[in-house]
Amino acid sequence: MMAIISLLLITIFIFFISRQYLADDKRIASLYQETLDEQKSRLKAELGSAQDYIRFMSQQADVVLKDDVKAEVDQAYSVMNAIYQSTKGQHSDQDIKQLINDALRDVRFFNGRGYLFIDDMQGKCILLPTAPQFEGQSLWDNQDDSGRYIMRSLVDAVKNPAAAGYSRYRWYPPGNATEMKDKITYVRYFEPFDWIIGAGDYVFQAENDLKKATLARLSSQRFGQYGYISILDQEGNVLFTPQTSAKQLPIHYSLLPDIHERRAVESIMATAMEGGGFTEYDWFVSDSSEHISSKLSLVEVVPLWGWVLVAGVYPEEIQEVFLRERDNQQQNLKDDGWRLLLALAGVGVFMMLIVWVYGQWLKRLFLNYQADIDVKQEQIEGDAQALKIASRVFDTAHEAIMVTDPSTKIVAVNHAFTVITGYQLAEVLGKTPRMLSSGRHSSEFYHDIWSSLATSDQWCGEIWNRKKSGKSFPEQLSISVSKDAAGKIVNYIATFSDVTDKKHAEEQLRYLAEYDDLTGLPNRHLLIDRVNQTIARAKRNELRCFSLMFIDLDRFKNINDSLGHGIGDMVLQEVAQRLEGAVREIDTVSRIGGDEFVILISGKRDDSSISAANLAQRLLKLVSEPIQDDALDLIVTPSIGIASYPADGQDFATLLKNADAALYFAKSQGRNNYKFYNRKMNEKAAARLIMENALRQAIEKGEFELYYQPQYCLVNKTISGCEVLLRWFHDDKFIPPDVFIPLAEETGLIPSIGQWVLEQGCHQGAQWISKGINIPTVAINVSAFQFQHEFYRMVDNALRKTGFPANRLELEVTESALMADAVRTQRLLTAFKKSGIKISLDDFGTGYSSLAYLKKFSLDKLKIDRAFIDGLPDDKDDMAITASILDVAKHLGLETIAEGVETQEQLDFLEAYGCDNVQGYYFSKPIPASEFELLINASNDIR
């Protein structure tokens, strides 16, 4: 009975104490959580107020900006009116206008970026302090990047009873000539002079001013004992924090001198990247204290301005409340416990002692049993896991695995073994790997494998084996020896993979590295190797001499430009086959690039030059035979240069260079022939190189000059425009265009030269217009090499840069430029038409002259080549061709112009057949800009 009572008392005591502790923990946790939630709500309220203030300030940008510019314009208007009223009747209107301009020109506001402007109601600029060069010019057609006419919107803004108003448009801010920004302008109408006066500012500038005011307001706010709001931007720049001097702000957090500050800001930016929320980090307790404590902060992102707001609170106050309550509750619990313990002590001590001793014994016994069970369970699970992993690795390995016993009998294979060899496990169990032998290796090979296994317990290499199908295949094989603790062999483990695809890929890469992909001929790399081998043979006296033949197809570029690269590739493949069929097996035909072929002519005879000459004659005839493709017959001719070893060079580079020089000489002699190398050819090549270098420096040295040939309208007998022609004066010598233009196209200099001609021609046209000279069109020739995707941007930039009107620019393009890429050409021509630029088809009739292209492309004018004008009016063919061109152009609605008019008879014929415009030496040769000004000022009459 005593035992039962004692047990009951002990149970009551434990229950009471436990319940008190649990209740105490819950109360403390609840109190701590309530205090923490209250602080979080307070932080949310502080940042919510800050967000509301920021939204309010951002909405004031337009209002503040409008009020400020209106105040400035109203003040300036008062000044204008005062000057006008005080000087009216005493001075002329012109003097009064000048007084007003002088008074307002230097007025600045908005931290020096604001200014006043004056225009008249017709769009003419009267006062523009930031760009006085536009004063006196019409800005009526100025547009922003949205297409809005700026000047017209300003004029419309004052067309109301108040004679004043606002206009919003976009323009380039100071220091940024690439991106337009929103701008708000206030204008007032000044009736005495039919003027409008105005001022404006960019919206983002006003927003920046409001941001500064907002930043100052938020940085001054404080709450609680240590509470404040820190401000950063989303790029990680600290805009305000009390720990950082204002002189150092803004500063990127990675540049903060204190590591605690950097870590704290990194935590804040990480939270901001996730959309904001609460975060904890270490921070200084107060503005001046060096004590660091954990801080709870709320991070919120302000997408409108790209800011990050941070407000935090230190947990010391929460901790103080928590500790005080905890101490009180623990003291109460302690007192209750002692009182209960004293009441039950007499009855429970003895029973407690017995229970404790018995419990300790049982606990130790249980723990010992459990420890043994845990150890055994871990061993079992570890062994099972290892077996599962080994089994998965064995079954899923991409490499074949074969395991044999010490007598080399197969005991296991994996799935990859079956996939590679074709043998199932049942077919190979108990057999030796000899069943896979391909028979390609000697007994010594296998002896070396066993020797390596005996000495190093492993062997690795490439071997040929045979599949179940009987097909041999290469494999990468690795064999290792597995031994037990006593060093006795347990298994041989072989892993291998089929490397057939790898070997095929290596062969393919070797082929791609040494052979031309289009023709299948050896490329430059393989040619160099074979020439070097041939030179080595020659030095060993196995042969005395050999020749290198350089072949280039004449005017092959015309085929690509006019018929397309598909036809060009077909021609190259056909020529390659003809060249291969014309040489011996010991000779090498190679393609080293484009339409260039090189033949290595080997042999042991002394008459290699005679052999080369005979082969060259055969090739001239063979290559020149027509190439037929569907209904198309093409004839291409080769030019050939020959250099011989050792007379013309003793290494590949020299032989190829001299063969190239001979090829260039053959082309200069009319093409479709062959030439052997001699020293004089190098002199010509050197002269060509000198001219190329001089051409590269011609723009820098100012050696180019533009000449202008007038074009006349046969309808009203006046000058209708001019053609811009490039002249080069090098070392006081005139270099003809037909000499340096092909060289510029060949060397890739034509784009930069063409850009210079375009910009200078537009600049000259703009100068003439500014002088009051009426020049309807300025025609500029465009090379096929320029007519690319970037050409539209080049033309647009030139027009913007010079101010030359797009509707007065005419681009002369050739048929080859239009037909190179029809889709690209149509896009370019459409873009030019939208801009107002005219397109003239130059030298019509001399190329492939496709009437379908005349219908398809957006053209404005046909230019008849002088080749058809020279024979007028006596040559019947020229008469028929010229009349046909004029008739076609008339029916297609295209304007016509004839070049090369030199006689009155030619002029009469063209006028009779309805030609619109003419140019030629009959009227004027190409002349410098200064002489052209005199000519157009003197008279426009062609009679």
Side-chain angles (χ1 to χ4, degrees), residues 101-365:
N101 282 351
D102 292 341
L104 301 181
R105 182 176 297 276
D106 295 328
V107 174
R108 295 292 185 272
F109 41 89
F110 297 159
N111 295 325
R113 65 177 183 267
Y115 59 89
L116 296 164
F117 65 84
I118 300 175
D119 304 301
D120 63 18
M121 294 294 285
Q122 287 73 43
K124 180 180 179 182
C125 178
I126 307 300
L127 174 64
L128 188 58
T130 58
Q133 66 272 19
F134 292 112
E135 294 178 1
Q137 299 185 22
S138 175
L139 305 180
W140 188 252
D141 293 327
N142 272 16
Q143 293 178 272
D144 62 15
D145 56 3
S146 66
R148 181 181 178 87
Y149 287 92
I150 298 173
M151 180 59 70
R152 300 179 189 182
S153 70
L154 294 176
V155 172
D156 292 340
V158 299
K159 292 181 178 180
N160 55 67
Y166 295 93
S167 175
R168 189 183 186 111
Y169 55 90
R170 295 171 58 81
W171 199 244
Y172 300 102
N176 185 355
T178 60
E179 181 182 7
M180 293 185 179
K181 299 287 188 179
D182 287 345
K183 187 173 184 179
I184 296 178
T185 298
Y186 178 74
V187 289
R188 287 190 63 175
Y189 176 65
F190 188 70
E191 184 177 2
F193 294 144
D194 198 30
W195 282 359
I196 58 174
I197 178 172
D201 198 12
Y202 293 93
V203 175
F204 79 91
Q205 295 283 14
E207 289 180 347
N208 287 340
D209 292 340
L210 291 175
K211 285 181 181 180
K212 292 179 182 179
T214 303
L215 185 63
R217 166 80 176 271
L218 296 181
S219 62
S220 64
Q221 289 186 2
R222 294 293 185 272
F223 53 91
Q225 187 175 359
Y226 302 118
Y228 57 87
I229 297 177
S230 294
I231 306 171
L232 306 89
D233 63 23
Q234 290 181 308
E235 302 297 327
N237 294 306
V238 179
L239 305 181
F240 167 74
T241 179
Q243 275 67 34
T244 305
S245 173
K247 296 181 179 178
Q248 300 174 345
L249 298 178
I251 182 173
H252 194 268
Y253 76 86
S254 62
L255 302 178
L256 291 171
D258 189 276
I259 188 172
H260 296 289
E261 292 185 72
R262 294 197 297 272
R263 290 176 179 173
V265 178
E266 285 178 359
S267 175
I268 291 170
M269 292 308 297
T271 305
M273 290 288 290
E274 296 175 356
F278 286 96
T279 184
E280 291 187 12
Y281 51 86
D282 294 333
W283 196 247
F284 301 93
V285 173
S286 64
D287 295 354
S288 59
S289 174
E290 296 182 355
H291 172 63
I292 295 176
S293 175
S294 175
K295 185 176 183 179
L296 174 67
S297 292
L298 175 61
V299 180
E300 291 189 358
V301 180
V302 186
L304 184 65
W305 285 356
W307 282 6
V308 177
L309 303 182
V310 185
V313 63
Y314 295 94
E316 278 75 8
E317 295 181 10
I318 303 173
Q319 192 68 15
E320 289 177 3
V321 174
F322 168 74
L323 292 176
R324 185 169 57 251
E325 290 297 324
R326 186 193 65 181
D327 291 344
N328 292 335
Q329 291 185 10
Q330 288 181 345
Q331 185 62 41
N332 293 334
L333 179 63
K334 184 177 181 181
D335 294 339
D336 292 341
W338 277 111
R339 285 191 291 270
L340 181 62
L341 182 62
L342 290 174
L344 299 176
V347 179
V349 170
F350 179 74
M351 291 300 298
M352 287 285 293
L353 180 61
I354 293 175
V355 171
W356 181 83
V357 172
Y358 184 75
Q360 291 297 314
W361 177 78
L362 289 176
K363 182 178 181 182
R364 283 195 300 271
L365 183 61

Side-chain angles (χ1 to χ4, degrees), residues 568-585:
D569 291 346
M570 182 272 293
V571 170
L572 292 174
Q573 291 170 336
E574 178 64 26
V575 171
Q577 293 179 5
R578 294 182 182 183
L579 294 178
E580 276 197 304
V583 302
R584 302 166 297 173
E585 290 185 2

Side-chain angles (χ1 to χ4, degrees), residues 441-515:
H441 302 290
S442 64
S443 58
E444 288 80 7
F445 176 80
Y446 293 106
H447 180 268
D448 291 340
I449 293 178
W450 285 110
S451 297
S452 176
L453 292 174
T455 56
S456 62
D457 291 340
Q458 61 180 3
W459 180 88
C460 183
E462 189 175 292
I463 187 172
W464 282 83
N465 272 335
R466 179 177 286 109
K467 300 184 179 183
K468 182 179 179 180
S469 64
K471 180 180 179 182
S472 296
F473 70 98
E475 66 179 44
Q476 186 67 33
L477 173 63
S478 176
I479 306 174
S480 59
V481 181
S482 176
K483 297 180 179 180
D484 58 17
K488 184 179 178 180
I489 297 176
V490 179
N491 297 107
Y492 292 102
I493 303 172
T495 60
F496 62 89
S497 59
D498 188 343
V499 294
T500 303
D501 292 340
K502 178 182 177 183
K503 284 189 167 292
H504 287 167
E506 290 174 351
E507 292 173 1
Q508 183 66 21
L509 288 175
R510 188 179 301 109
Y511 178 84
L512 293 175
E514 296 180 346
Y515 289 87

